[in-house]
Amino acid sequence: MPKIYKYLLFCLIVSSIFGTTTYYFLSNRHKAIVKTHVYHTLGFIDNNWNITENNHQFKLVTPTLLIDGIYKSMEGPKVSRVIQLNNSDDVYVITGFKIEAVDATTLKSVSKEFICHMNIDLNDKSYYTAFNLHNRIGKQFPRLTSLSSGFEEFSFPKGYGFIIKGNEPLFVMSEALNQNISPITKKIKHCITIDYEKYNGLQKPLQNKITYIRLPFDKYDPYKSPTDVGNNQCVPVETKNHTETDNNGNMLSGHWVIPNGKKTYRSFINSQLQIKDSLCLHTAAIHVHPFATQISLYDKTENKTIFTSKIENYKDKIGLVKVAPFSSKEGVWLYVNHEYELILDVNNTSKIDQDMMGSMFLFFYDKELDEKLKQSNN
């Protein structure tokens, strides 16, 4: 055998050993990313997005997601892409969102247990520039909303919605989940629907504010359990993602571990709300993980609950049956001189530690944008 072929064979063997070894030590989440990319690239499973649209709905069906084992929250195979409602510069109003898990071949509905979460993100520079709202650029993470198992759809109150231009880019990511079934080899897709209508000058625009529970942890020994079980500290799931540092140098995590039993977590959210004046709340989209039992928006100043989302878990397996949204056409007022909290109650009925998140996508009447839209129509 010529030396060049021996050299190539040697390199191939070494690369295969290195790649196999590296893959073996990856986390379950990163293994899913690698497998999905390889399967789609080599054509082992369908890698096509199916997009349809009409005057009132934008629908997209994801490429195939192969579920071949247990995937806890934020570990499963996922896909993403950029979309636009259409190619026009016209102004539209998004009125609702929905996700459904379907069989990859028949496209018939399957269990919601195979939905981890579907996120829709804005390009905040492009979006706010289009409406001359430059002061909002970079002020918060530009996520429009998130849907998940137990909270697969919601709509805004009639006459309200999220304003967007038809050609505005939206980044969509959808991830699969499987908390209970093993062994398994199942091919699914996610069917995502965005309801919208043409803006006619009568609809009232909403702006979104992302709020989520952030808990302190020991930055020097992050995975050590707090010695005081009654405190509000946590053990983070990991220290690279969903972590941040507050103004006092404390490390905070938005994705943490819950032990067996009942516990309540609290987190101030004024820095996330960024209220400059009073705001009227009309809708809240909720994102939590299994074993959450309720999450509340709480006015600490007045010592009263603004609303509570009740959460129903399966009794015989891990997963969320129903997460109650908040929706009000009349609205509820939040004030600049009040302190607000998210309060999350959990009950880990399993025998092992579980992961948890608690967040609300709050939608307020957007007076500033409403005035700009009316001026542009005059």
Side-chain angles (χ1 to χ4, degrees), residues 278-298:
S278 55
L279 289 173
C280 192
L281 175 67
H282 291 279
T283 301
I286 314 297
H287 178 74
V288 293
H289 287 186
F291 302 105
T293 56
Q294 66 177 31
I295 186 169
S296 302
L297 177 61
Y298 188 75

Side-chain angles (χ1 to χ4, degrees), residues 36-60:
T36 302
H37 178 72
V38 171
Y39 292 159
H40 284 163
T41 300
L42 298 181
F44 293 160
I45 56 177
D46 170 39
N47 190 26
N48 296 317
W49 290 81
N50 186 5
I51 298 177
T52 58
E53 57 182 287
N54 56 40
N55 291 331
H56 301 289
Q57 283 189 331
F58 183 97
K59 289 189 175 183
L60 60 159

Side-chain angles (χ1 to χ4, degrees), residues 198-214:
K198 190 76 178 292
Y199 175 70
N200 59 20
L202 299 177
Q203 303 99 325
K204 295 181 179 180
L206 298 170
Q207 62 171 312
N208 68 314
K209 304 262 188 184
I210 306 170
T211 62
Y212 50 95
I213 291 180
R214 301 174 298 173

Side-chain angles (χ1 to χ4, degrees), residues 129-144:
T129 298
F131 294 109
N132 195 26
L133 296 168
H134 303 279
N135 60 318
R136 299 187 188 180
I137 297 173
K139 293 299 176 64
Q140 68 170 16
F141 190 75
R143 181 147 296 159
L144 176 56

Side-chain angles (χ1 to χ4, degrees), residues 131-136 205 207 276 279 365-375:
F131 294 109
N132 195 26
L133 296 168
H134 303 279
N135 60 318
R136 299 187 188 180
Q207 62 171 312
K276 297 179 180 179
L279 289 173
Y365 168 61
D366 194 337
K367 181 180 178 181
E368 183 181 11
L369 179 55
D370 199 8
E371 292 175 349
K372 288 181 179 293
L373 292 169
K374 289 176 180 177
Q375 290 173 1

Side-chain angles (χ1 to χ4, degrees), residues 24 36 38 78 143 147 173 191 218 239-240 245 280 306 331-332 335 374:
Y24 177 80
T36 302
V38 171
K78 59 185 177 181
R143 181 147 296 159
L147 299 179
M173 188 284 296
C191 181
D218 187 341
T239 57
K240 293 182 179 179
T245 305
C280 192
I306 297 172
V332 178
Y335 304 98
K374 289 176 180 177

